[in-house]
Amino acid sequence: MAAHTTGTRLEERWREILAVHARTLGEIDRALHPHGLGASDFEVLDLLVAATPEEGEQCRVQNLVGRVHLSQSALSRLIARLEKDGLVTRSICAEDRRGVYVALTRKGRALHAEVLPLQRAALARSLGDGA
């Protein structure tokens, strides 16, 4: 009987986590939509800002794969869309032709800085942190 109770509690906790995740993504999407971004778009820009603090620095796409909750193919499509919008540039690694680098453009950095407070406020609303 204890195993059943433990399993039920785990399932309930898992469903709570999923509900918080869905609510948070929706909150971020609503906040960023007027700026042409979704939660995943912002997450990639935010990771690139952290990984490449200086303008012109590049990050291997492979380094982003484990940090965003997208498949490699979905991440590639997202980066292609960001590139089309002029927010990032992609280039092939000269040493390893299979490797792809991505870098924020000036426009991408500016948009990230503009929407960062909106994303953080959405996180605070959704996660209950009034700060």
Side-chain angles (χ1 to χ4, degrees):
M1 192 57 132
H4 177 71
T5 303
T6 301
T8 301
R9 279 187 294 202
L10 286 173
E11 288 174 18
E12 289 171 359
R13 182 68 184 130
W14 174 241
R15 288 188 180 104
E16 289 171 15
I17 290 168
L18 290 176
V20 168
H21 180 263
R23 184 175 61 246
T24 304
L25 281 181
E27 191 75 32
I28 293 169
D29 281 337
R30 279 187 294 283
L32 301 183
H33 180 74
H35 300 274
L37 295 175
S40 294
D41 303 322
F42 177 85
E43 192 64 24
V44 169
L45 294 179
D46 201 43
L47 288 169
L48 286 172
V49 165
T52 60
E54 299 295 322
E55 190 169 324
E57 285 186 307
Q58 298 177 319
C59 178
R60 280 187 74 127
V61 171
Q62 190 61 33
N63 295 344
L64 298 174
V65 170
R67 304 209 47 212
V68 294
H69 302 288
L70 298 171
S71 67
Q72 188 162 354
S73 61
L75 177 61
S76 292
R77 287 190 302 274
L78 187 150
I79 290 172
R81 199 170 58 250
L82 294 175
E83 183 178 38
K84 182 178 172 236
D85 292 342
L87 303 175
V88 301
T89 58
R90 285 187 292 179
S91 59
I92 301 297
C93 175
E95 298 82 34
D96 177 5
R97 304 283 300 160
R98 295 170 298 168
V100 176
Y101 284 111
V102 63
L104 282 166
T105 63
R106 184 170 285 138
K107 179 181 176 183
R109 250 178 226 287
L111 182 57
H112 175 268
E114 179 182 344
V115 300
L116 178 64
L118 301 174
Q119 188 266 0
R120 297 301 196 254
L123 283 178
R125 282 190 305 276
S126 184
L127 300 176
D129 181 7

